[in-house]
């Protein structure tokens, strides 16, 4: 018997919060409002209590970061500093491993136990709408997980130790017909001044003239103060079989005179018969530029002109662009001799651990454009240190298999973006300060090697930045605030991949793609995506209605500018969803044990005395909450 | 730097652009140091001269007695003399207003004469001598205006290496390394026609370090405490003393003190957010006589530099023997705030709320300052003990706002807040009742405004408290003595019979309903026999008990207030009253309802950021709280946030209280509840 003849209505299940429409539209088995309620079978209870976890304050952002051995947290605090907390019971807190003024948030992606970090910030447009992109003049950083400071990812290519002036001179066969006698010629340059003629270069170019052609001279050295002119000298034709590597053993004759100290290009056309004025060689100058020369050492190489350059390898395996500014040139005239490479640059960066020599195959008609040729790693051409400066190498062109040309366009410093993720073992970076609609992808397995030309995907420009990227079922999805696009690896460079818009009404917040457990990934046969319209399931297309259908009034009342603060976590083990809402001191909580669909999911609110600025799952399914202190 | 005349007959002159006698307003000032005693009559130090007319300062006897002499051709009129000691710097100034001529030394008026100079044409201005005397002296900074400068303005001029007043400025010749005028008037001194121009520029300077803002003493890092000499001994003048401080990261509030002496050199000061131009804080600047020898406290922004100008309120020749100035600065407290610590808002914009110790006899201990909205109304805020959220009136926006337990703003209720409004919670903390004039609203503990707005009749609501069943609102609406405690029917919106009649001579200052439905009423009598007392009533108006809180000051800045206890609101309540002899302090009292026994904590009041207790060389405390604002005990404040985890089965939350110390505090899980919808059909 009910009260005053009212009939009791048995409610067997409590299905959580319902905030949609008027209060009298709330189903009988739902609550019009609730707080700190967790669900148990057919009932509810007070949410779990919160306990202290790690003594690090002023937390803005947390990520679960697992190294080879230990799980930990990467923590950004209000001072723009990132720390690394070890969760091995030691309460070790490394850092700050990185501090950047103005860093209010950061993106994170782990590769091979290392953490890649991109600092970003929130900007406001003229309409008062916030958006996120990488910080200006900032870069992606790499942290090795060992407590040492993070450093900029990638690295600068080798460079000449001193000025490159006078280290660029190259002399090679012209395609123009002429009278230069067939055979090997060595060419050198002298400066003319009151001191007479002094040698300008240390290693003389060697030319194997085919006969009936001219000789091109580019980047002819400029002399020091007091230089009134330059002269080019060359040997008579040498029978290749008589060639030795001792350049001082030959007689050089005046081939051309330049009556100024400004001209840097000259094509000479002279026959041996006109080479009559000999040069007294004098002392060879010492230069610091990369040098390559023929030797008398037994070895092997294909005949012809080769360019040789250097690539640094960092302690994270990154291969820099080619350097130094001027590559070395060697014209092999004896295929049974090795090539001697000297003045190999030493990096000032302690994280450079190896240096590799790279070379072109023999160039038939060199045009002076040193980067216009394909480079390959020279077998046995690696210095496993950052100390030695010389190496003899031997290689046939057929041995040059591993391409290094793609490194020429690599970023030396990767600009910071607002999103960092992975796809097909490539690092995906999006929304840099200058290019908010571009996603950069690294080479596979080389997260720091991003080709500035070929490594890009462009999300059609609409004035809004890319907010997130995510690999799902072999497809790379890219999100903007209210758009979703996709691109698929075609086994070629990313710039050739086709891009398609998937949905022009649904996008994702920067932290709005739900991470699963403590894996750092999202794949569990579906994605959870927090969009301005709600949290939606995504399995290649968005499932409607949204999972937050029951609490739509609450969701749409959220401040759109605050979506940057929300992180979505999917505790698939216990079938729960968490999303922090710092401004409300709240974590939005869902229990989907009774079904992951808009009808059966149960929503609740967890509120706290402190604002949950960031959340993460550790130890598989333990929810950790970062917070800042009280206003003061 | 200054200019010294080496030859007794040396002088400077100017014959162009002279301010003639016809000018109705005229002033000049200059630093002067007699370098030897006067041994010849009629020694001029500065004069405007015509054919027979004369207007300037000279010594008219074989002594160092200088007076102002004004002669329009009809004979000289002299002021009394002022003896200038050789070797000592003097700021000498003069102004003319119409026919009145005033002569000052060290800002003190030596004397004046009345002479009509309007028909006089001057032919030369002389400095150092007029060619007819023998005067060894040193000068610095001659300035003249076609305006009448006040002594305050002269004071500022003598404290500045550059002219302070620019309107009417005719000439500014610093005389530190040349004879040039820095204005565009080209009133340079000249040596043309001078027989002897034997002078030199020397490093002696009457203006000491720290006297000008550009030379402000940097306090460096806090705490800073020092006793400095505020006065060089060879200058008969009291200078400004400038200090500056740049706040560091993590610093939000500082306190400071400039103390000279209780008689001579009572140190008054002004605070600026820049180099002496913009008063600080912007809305309620700290300056004026209330600062004299008293401490201050104020908010700061890291990286910003603040300037402090200290100056004496007494000018005395006794000061030329030198005075000491005590300077003491300290960063505001930032201590742990445990559960139940009283939170006292500030009524003035710019200043922070304070959280104080609640420990018995832990007097004057401010734990922390918090940037918060200002609230004037003494009972204009309250806290829900269910969820720790605070509902409070924001005077700036005239809104009633809800704050989190960690004092971050959560929402605007949309209700208008009044500077004399009232907010009182239900005893169980599930809701608040608010008033604005005679309008009353109900606001849930989460800030949801109820559907009913009650409009009472009367003058205005001065106190209110709902019964626990929310059927009756106990209130006072008279805003006068003898006011009864009335009962308002919240269901039918009519007055019921009064709970109790008014008490002769007493205001009703505050009302609370305890969870047993009994009522506490704070009465206050402002008269020659002031009194504060809390009467405890049953719901039928019968008196259960009386708690005499003591005799407050007769006309205190506020009449006090009462609020719920934090740990045991059923058996205790809290009160705040000002003390009988208003020594600038107030007392927080925890009263045991059953027997009236009390524990007390005293706090010094800082109003407008300034210490309100008596001027003293030994202040009671370095920091304090405002006097007329809502107070209530709050939950523990988390110092720096932290990292937490959810623990299944745990039945409370544990917060990092101070992460540096790794201290923690258990708090209740905020307000677990469910609410079912009202089904209409």
């Amino acid at each position: 018997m009910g009260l005053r003849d009212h009939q009791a209505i048995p409610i067997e299940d409590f299905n959580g919060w319902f905030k949609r429409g008027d209060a009298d539209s709330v189903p009988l088995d739902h609550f019009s409002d609730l707080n700190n309620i967790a669900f148990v079978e057919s009932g509810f209870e007070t949410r779990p209590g919160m306990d202290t976890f790690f003594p690090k304050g002023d937390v803005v952002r947390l990520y679960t970061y697992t190294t080879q051995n230990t799980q930990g947290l990467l923590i950004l605090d209000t001072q723009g500093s990132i720390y690394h907390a070890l969760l091995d019971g030691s309460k070790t807190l490394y850092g700050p491993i990185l501090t950047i003024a103005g860093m209010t948030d950061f993106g994170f992606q782990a590769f091979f136990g290392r953490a890649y970090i991109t600092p970003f910030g929130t900007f406001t447009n003229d309409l008062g709408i916030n958006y996120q992109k990488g910080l200006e003049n900032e870069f992606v950083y790499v942290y090795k997980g060992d407590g040492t400071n993070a450093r900029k990812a990638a690295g600068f290519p080798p460079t000449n130790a001193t000025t490159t002036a006078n280290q660029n001179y190259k002399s090679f066969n012209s395609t123009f017909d002429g009278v230069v006698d067939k055979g090997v010629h060595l060419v050198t340059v002298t400066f003319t001044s009151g001191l007479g003629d002094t040698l300008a270069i240390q290693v003389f170019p060697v030319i194997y003239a085919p006969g009936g052609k001219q000789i091109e001279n580019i980047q002819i050295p400029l002399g020091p103060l007091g230089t009134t002119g330059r002269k080019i000298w060359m040997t008579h034709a040498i029978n290749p079989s008589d060639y030795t590597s001792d350049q001082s053993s030959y007689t050089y004759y005046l081939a051309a005179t330049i009556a100024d100290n400004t001209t840097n290009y000259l094509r000479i056309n002279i026959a041996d018969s006109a080479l009559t004025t000999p040069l007294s060689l004098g002392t060879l100058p010492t230069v610091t530029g990369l040098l390559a020369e023929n030797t008398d050492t037994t070895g092997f190489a294909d005949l012809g002109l080769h360019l040789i350059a250097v690539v640094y390898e960092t302690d994270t395996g990154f291969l820099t662009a080619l350097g130094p500014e001027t590559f070395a040139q060697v014209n092999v005239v004896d295929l049974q001799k090795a090539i001697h490479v000297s003045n190999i640059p030493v990096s000032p960066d302690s994280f450079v651990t190896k240096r590799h020599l790279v070379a072109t195959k023999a160039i038939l008609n060199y045009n002076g454009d040193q980067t216009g040729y394909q480079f390959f790693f020279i077998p046995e051409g690696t210095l496993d240190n950052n100390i030695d400066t010389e190496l003899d190498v031997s290689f046939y062109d057929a041995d040059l298999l591993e391409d290094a040309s793609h490194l020429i366009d690599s970023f030396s410093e990767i600009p910071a973006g607002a999103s960092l993720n992975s796809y097909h073992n490539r690092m995906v970076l999006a929304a840099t300060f200058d290019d908010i609609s571009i996603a950069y992808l690294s080479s596979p397995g080389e997260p720091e090697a991003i080709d500035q030309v070929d490594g890009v995907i462009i999300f059609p420009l609409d004035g809004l930045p890319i907010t997130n990227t995510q690999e799902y079922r072999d497809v790379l999805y890219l999100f903007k605030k209210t758009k979703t696009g996709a691109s698929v690896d075609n086994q070629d460079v990313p710039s050739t991949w086709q891009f398609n818009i998937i949905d022009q009404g649904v996008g994702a917040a920067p932290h709005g793609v739900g991470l699963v457990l403590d894996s750092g990934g999202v794949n569990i046969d579906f994605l959870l995506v927090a969009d301005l319209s709600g949290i939606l399931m995504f399995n290649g297309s968005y499932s409607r209605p949204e999972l937050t259908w029951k609490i739509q009034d609450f969701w749409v009342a959220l401040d759109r500018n605050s979506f940057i603060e929300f992180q979505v976590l999917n505790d698939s083990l216990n079938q729960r969803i968490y999303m922090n809402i710092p401004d409300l001191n709240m974590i939005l909580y869902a229990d989907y044990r009774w079904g992951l669909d808009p009808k059966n999911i149960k929503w609740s609110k967890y509120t706290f005395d402190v604002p949950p600025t960031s959340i993460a799952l550790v130890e598989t399914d333990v929810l950790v909450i970062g917070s800042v202190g009280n206003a003061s | 730097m200054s200019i010294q005349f080496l030859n007794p007959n040396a002088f400077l002159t100017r014959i162009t652009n002279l301010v003639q006698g016809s000018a109705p307003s005229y002033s000049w000032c200059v630093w002067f140091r007699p370098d030897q005693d006067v041994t010849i009559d009629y020694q001029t130090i500065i004069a405007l001269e015509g054919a027979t007319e004369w207007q300037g300062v000279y010594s008219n006897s074989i002594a160092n007695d200088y007076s102002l002499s004004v002669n329009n051709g009809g004979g000289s009129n002299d002021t009394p003399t002022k003896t200038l000691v050789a070797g000592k710097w003097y700021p000498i100034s003069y102004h003319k207003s119409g026919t009145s001529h005033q002569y000052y030394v060290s800002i003190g008026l030596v004397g004046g004469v009345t002479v009509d100079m309007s028909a006089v044409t001057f032919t030369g201005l002389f400095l150092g001598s007029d060619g007819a005397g023998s005067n060894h002296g040193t000068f610095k900074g001659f300035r003249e205006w076609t305006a009448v400068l006040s002594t305050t303005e002269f004071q500022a001029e003598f404290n500045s290496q550059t002219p302070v007043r620019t309107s009417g400025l005719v000439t500014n010749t610093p005389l530190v390394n040349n004879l040039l005028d820095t204005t565009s008037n080209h009133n340079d001194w000249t040596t043309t026609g001078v027989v002897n121009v034997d002078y030199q520029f020397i490093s002696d300077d009457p203006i000491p370090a720290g006297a000008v803002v550009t030379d402000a003493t940097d306090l460096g890092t806090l705490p800073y405490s020092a006793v400095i000499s505020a006065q060089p001994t060879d200058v008969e003048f009291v200078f400004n003393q400038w200090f500056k401080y740049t706040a560091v990261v993590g610093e939000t509030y500082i306190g400071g003190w400039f103390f000279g002496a209780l008689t001579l050199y009572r140190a008054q000061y002004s605070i600026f957010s820049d180099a002496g131009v913009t008063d600080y804080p912007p809305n309620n600047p700290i300056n004026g006589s209330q600062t004299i020898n008293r401490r201050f406290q104020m908010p700061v922004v890291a990286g910003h530099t603040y300037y402090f100008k200290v100056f004496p309120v007494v000018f005395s020749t006794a000061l030329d023997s030198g005075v000491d100035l005590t300077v003491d600065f300290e960063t505001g407290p930032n201590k742990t705030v445990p559960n139940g610590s009283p939170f006292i808002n500030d009524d003035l914009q710019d200043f922070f709320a304070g959280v104080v110790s609640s420990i018995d006899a832990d007097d004057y201990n401010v734990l922390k300052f918090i940037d918060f909205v200002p609230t004037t109304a003494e009972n204009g805020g309250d806290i829900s003990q269910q969820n720790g959220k605070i509902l409070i009136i924001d005077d700036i926006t005239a809104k009633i706002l809800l704050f989190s337990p960690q004092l971050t703003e959560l929402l605007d209720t949309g209700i208008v807040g009044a500077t004399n409004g009232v907010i009182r919670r239900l005893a169980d903390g599930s809701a608040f009742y608010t008033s604005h004039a005679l309008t009353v609203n109900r606001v849930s503990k989460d800030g949801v405004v109820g559907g009913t707005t009650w409009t009472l009749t009367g003058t205005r609501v001065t106190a209110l408290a709902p019964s626990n069943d929310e059927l009756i609102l106990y209130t006072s609406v008279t805003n006068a003595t003898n006011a009864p405690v009335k009962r308002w029917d919240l269901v039918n919106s009519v007055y019921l019979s009064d709970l109790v009649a008014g008490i002769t001579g007493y205001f009703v200052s505050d009302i609370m309903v305890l969870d047993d439905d009994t009522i506490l009423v704070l009465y206050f009598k402002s008269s020659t026999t002031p009194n504060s007392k809390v009467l405890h009533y049953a719901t039928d108006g019968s008196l259960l008990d009386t708690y005499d809180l003591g005799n407050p000051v007769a006309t205190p800045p506020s009449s006090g207030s009462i609020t719920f206890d934090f740990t045991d609101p059923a058996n205790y309540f809290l009160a705040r009253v000002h003390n009988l002899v208003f020594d600038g302090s107030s007392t927080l009292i925890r009263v045991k309802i059953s027997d009236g026994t009390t524990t007390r904590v005293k706090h010094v009041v800082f109003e407008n950021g300034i210490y309100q207790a008596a001027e003293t060389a030994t202040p009671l405390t370095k920091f304090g709280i405002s006097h007329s604002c809502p107070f209530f005990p709050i939950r523990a404040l988390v110092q720096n946030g932290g990292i937490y985890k959810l623990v299944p089965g745990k039945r409370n939350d544990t917060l990092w209280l101070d992460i540096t110390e790794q201290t923690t505090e258990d708090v209740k899980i905020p307000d677990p509840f469910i609410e079912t919808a009202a089904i209409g059909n």
Side-chain angles (χ1 to χ4, degrees), chain A residues 33 36 47 50 58 609 630, chain B residues 406 638 640 653-654 670 675:
Chain A
D33 197 6
N36 287 327
R47 69 150 166 87
M50 185 174 73
D58 297 327
D609 272 16
N630 64 288
Chain B
Q406 295 300 312
V638 176
N640 299 107
D653 285 345
T654 304
E675 180 180 287

Side-chain angles (χ1 to χ4, degrees), chain A residues 162-398:
Chain A
T162 57
T163 173
T164 58
N166 301 340
Q167 301 182 2
N168 301 341
Y169 175 58
K170 288 183 174 61
S171 184
F172 50 89
N173 290 315
S174 172
T175 57
F176 287 90
D177 292 339
V179 298
V180 175
D181 288 270
K182 181 179 180 181
V184 175
H185 297 266
L186 278 71
V187 184
T188 188
V189 180
T190 60
F191 298 135
T192 304
S193 69
L195 300 174
D197 294 322
T198 54
L199 281 171
I201 57 177
Q202 182 179 348
V203 174
F204 306 159
V206 176
I207 299 166
Y208 194 171
K213 296 291 182 182
Q214 300 183 50
I215 294 176
E216 305 284 357
N217 295 271
I218 63 172
Q219 295 159 345
I220 300 167
L222 304 181
L225 191 64
T227 303
T228 56
R230 276 91 31 88
K231 293 174 182 171
I232 297 177
W233 310 76
M234 59 188 285
T235 63
H236 289 158
I238 304 165
N239 188 326
S241 61
D242 298 333
Y243 174 77
T244 69
S245 64
D246 182 3
Q247 61 186 16
S248 65
S249 65
Y250 300 107
T251 301
Y252 297 81
Y253 300 92
L254 181 63
T257 298
I258 304 170
D260 60 42
N261 193 30
T262 55
T263 303
N264 65 1
Y265 164 73
L266 187 67
R267 182 184 302 139
I268 57 177
N269 183 23
I270 191 166
D272 283 359
S273 58
L275 296 171
T276 56
T277 305
L279 169 68
S280 176
L281 267 182
T283 306
L284 285 171
T286 300
V287 299
T288 56
L290 181 66
L291 300 174
E293 55 193 309
N294 294 303
T295 69
D296 292 329
T297 306
T298 301
F300 52 91
D302 279 327
L303 298 179
L305 177 68
H306 298 262
L307 297 177
I308 294 178
V310 180
V311 168
Y312 288 158
E313 181 175 340
T314 70
D315 58 357
T316 56
F318 171 69
L319 299 170
T320 69
L322 279 56
E325 293 85 342
T326 301
F327 302 160
Q329 166 193 329
V330 62
N331 200 338
V332 176
V333 293
D334 186 341
L335 51 74
Q336 294 185 338
K337 296 294 188 289
I339 299 170
H340 180 67
V341 182
S342 60
N343 286 352
I344 298 171
V346 174
S347 172
D349 297 319
S350 60
F351 54 79
V352 169
T353 56
K354 296 180 182 177
R355 289 159 300 154
H356 304 278
L357 298 181
V358 296
T360 62
K361 295 180 179 178
I363 300 171
L364 182 59
N365 292 310
Y366 183 57
N367 62 8
D369 177 10
Q370 66 174 8
T371 60
Y373 299 90
Q374 191 171 13
F375 283 81
F376 301 88
F377 288 93
I378 299 175
E380 309 295 330
T382 296
L383 290 169
D384 287 322
N385 58 49
N386 189 32
I387 301 171
D388 298 336
T389 59
E390 297 182 65
L391 187 65
D392 284 350
V393 292
S394 293
F395 59 91
Y396 292 120
D397 286 358

Side-chain angles (χ1 to χ4, degrees), chain A residues 33-36 583-586 605 607-609, chain B residues 372 381-392 401-411 423 425 429 431-432 444-448 632-635 670-671 673:
Chain A
D33 197 6
L34 49 71
N35 191 27
N36 287 327
D583 288 348
L584 300 179
N585 280 19
M586 177 197 293
K605 295 184 289 187
T607 64
F608 306 89
D609 272 16
Chain B
F372 205 69
D382 209 344
I383 184 171
S384 165
Q385 90 280 23
Q386 278 197 19
N387 59 12
K389 293 177 182 175
I390 294 164
L391 193 70
I392 201 156
L401 308 176
L402 188 73
F403 285 79
S404 77
Q406 295 300 312
L407 306 175
T408 54
E409 183 180 335
L410 297 177
L411 58 84
I423 295 176
R425 83 179 196 217
F432 304 89
S444 79
K445 64 187 183 310
D446 291 309
V448 179
F632 37 79
I634 60 172
R635 289 194 187 200
D671 189 23
F673 77 96

Side-chain angles (χ1 to χ4, degrees), chain A residues 14 23-24 26 28 30-37 44-59 62 73 75 79 91 578 583-585 587 605-611 619 622-632, chain B residues 249 252 334 352 368-371 387-389 404-410 446 635-656 659 662 664 667-680:
Chain A
F14 296 95
D24 59 5
V26 177
L28 289 175
H30 285 70
F31 305 127
S32 60
D33 197 6
L34 49 71
N35 191 27
N36 287 327
I37 297 301
F44 55 86
E45 63 180 6
T46 301
R47 69 150 166 87
M50 185 174 73
D51 205 351
T52 55
F53 183 64
F54 200 93
K56 173 71 188 87
D58 297 327
V59 177
L62 286 175
L73 292 170
I75 305 162
Q79 304 301 312
K91 289 195 175 181
Y578 301 98
D583 288 348
L584 300 179
N585 280 19
I587 290 176
K605 295 184 289 187
Y606 285 0
T607 64
F608 306 89
D609 272 16
V610 292
E619 298 165 9
V622 175
L623 181 71
V624 296
I625 303 165
S627 75
V628 295
N630 64 288
S632 60
Chain B
V249 173
T252 59
N334 192 14
F352 286 10
K368 189 182 187 72
F369 288 105
I370 294 161
D371 191 2
N387 59 12
K389 293 177 182 175
S404 77
Q406 295 300 312
L407 306 175
T408 54
E409 183 180 335
L410 297 177
D446 291 309
R635 289 194 187 200
L637 293 183
V638 176
Q639 193 83 345
N640 299 107
I643 300 175
Y644 303 93
K645 65 178 178 181
L646 285 189
V647 180
K650 191 169 187 290
R651 290 301 172 210
N652 68 288
D653 285 345
T654 304
L655 300 177
W656 289 111
I659 209 152
Q662 298 198 21
T664 62
V667 299
K668 185 175 139 183
I669 291 176
D671 189 23
F673 77 96
I674 57 166
E675 180 180 287
T676 54
I679 306 300

